Amino acid sequence: MSGATDHSPETESPRQRFELDDRGFNEVPTKYRRYYRHWQGAGDQLEPNEVICPVCKVVIRSTREIRVGDRLYCMACMTRLRIREDSEGHLEADCEY
Ligand SMILES: [Zn+2]
């Protein structure tokens, strides 16, 4: 894998890319494990490509930076999520029904 520049046709600025490793999240099929991890509690920090599922509290990880308006799917609890910004500028996920 290289840090190749993202030449997506979108007009927004390129998103930072992330390589995901398997953190041993065994609640989803093996091929999807690297897209999730358990929140470690106090002291844990979210990367720009991570957001916490408001339903089951697992951390959903993306191969690219997460931005407001993105849609994610939590495979652990089968919830559709939409990303918004909270009052402090942090990314948060809302359930979509
Ligand atoms: Zn979930």
Side-chain angles (χ1 to χ4, degrees):
M1 300 285 273
S2 70
T5 313
D6 180 11
H7 290 293
S8 79
E10 298 168 14
T11 53
E12 62 189 15
S13 59
R15 299 189 190 213
Q16 197 178 340
R17 294 273 176 175
F18 294 83
E19 287 187 31
L20 305 178
D21 54 343
D22 188 337
R23 301 285 185 89
F25 188 82
N26 60 9
E27 293 168 36
V28 296
T30 307
K31 66 183 284 198
Y32 300 110
R33 278 188 188 181
R34 64 196 180 103
Y35 294 106
Y36 301 90
R37 70 177 177 85
H38 287 286
W39 175 248
Q40 302 300 311
D44 200 349
Q45 278 197 319
L46 290 177
E47 299 294 328
N49 66 321
E50 296 179 332
V51 71
I52 293 180
C53 172
V55 179
C56 65
K57 310 299 181 191
V58 306
V59 180
I60 303 169
R61 314 167 74 207
S62 173
T63 54
R64 61 180 196 170
E65 189 184 334
I66 294 172
R67 292 188 179 172
V68 173
D70 283 357
R71 285 193 166 91
L72 295 173
Y73 180 69
C74 179
M75 193 176 286
C77 65
M78 296 188 287
T79 302
R80 289 179 198 286
L81 305 170
R82 191 182 182 95
I83 305 302
R84 67 174 168 81
E85 201 168 16
D86 72 10
S87 55
E88 294 176 349
H90 299 127
L91 295 179
E92 281 201 355
D94 283 334
C95 305
E96 268 198 341
Y97 296 101

